[in-house]
Amino acid sequence: MAKVAYLCTDLLFTSKIRETARALGHETEACRDARSLAATARDARLIIIDLRRPDALAALIQLRAEAATAEVPAIGFCDHERTDLMESAHQAGCSLVLAKGKFSSDLRRLLSDQALTAP
């Protein structure tokens, strides 16, 4: 079972992440802030970050600075018109950045990805 850590306070997306991961047999852990994400991500195979959170970029920078979480794939999502935020997230170390709609429609595929399901 792979662990998916996520930093998101939007109830719709939180529920979607949790339920989709559960349906695919993955454990999830919700994080309340950048510090708890850094601690949780040490055991995670995937990190999901709602980039609309004010602490999202700081959380990414902190994750990439720590050896234990530097290579854990991170997926960020935000409003499609926030191209500046998308670029900043890439620069901060986000592996993949998607608009909310694309993230939502691709979530099942993203959680079924070979890197996440490999032993």
Side-chain angles (χ1 to χ4, degrees):
M1 178 186 302
K3 183 174 176 183
V4 177
Y6 62 93
L7 181 62
C8 179
T9 52
D10 182 303
L11 293 177
L12 177 67
F13 283 98
T14 296
S15 177
K16 186 168 183 74
I17 292 165
R18 190 177 55 245
E19 295 306 314
T20 303
R22 184 177 298 144
L24 293 169
H26 303 309
E27 175 187 347
T28 60
E29 188 161 343
C31 302
R32 65 186 175 283
D33 55 31
R35 180 177 291 166
S36 65
L37 179 63
T40 300
R42 290 184 185 108
D43 298 324
R45 297 283 299 274
L46 179 67
I47 300 161
I48 298 174
I49 300 176
D50 181 350
L51 297 171
R52 299 170 299 166
R53 288 180 53 107
D55 59 347
L57 292 178
L60 274 168
I61 292 167
Q62 183 177 354
L63 288 171
R64 295 312 180 217
E66 295 184 27
T69 58
E71 300 299 321
V72 178
I75 299 172
F77 65 92
C78 63
D79 301 311
H80 72 277
E81 66 271 1
R82 293 296 314 270
T83 56
D84 59 325
L85 182 56
M86 291 178 171
E87 181 59 32
S88 294
H90 275 296
Q91 290 175 0
C94 205
S95 312
L96 179 64
V97 180
L98 300 168
K100 290 185 313 187
K102 182 73 170 159
F103 172 78
S104 185
S105 66
D106 287 1
L107 184 58
R108 185 171 189 80
R109 180 187 59 78
L110 293 168
L111 294 178
S112 298
D113 190 3
Q114 198 64 19
L116 186 59
T117 57

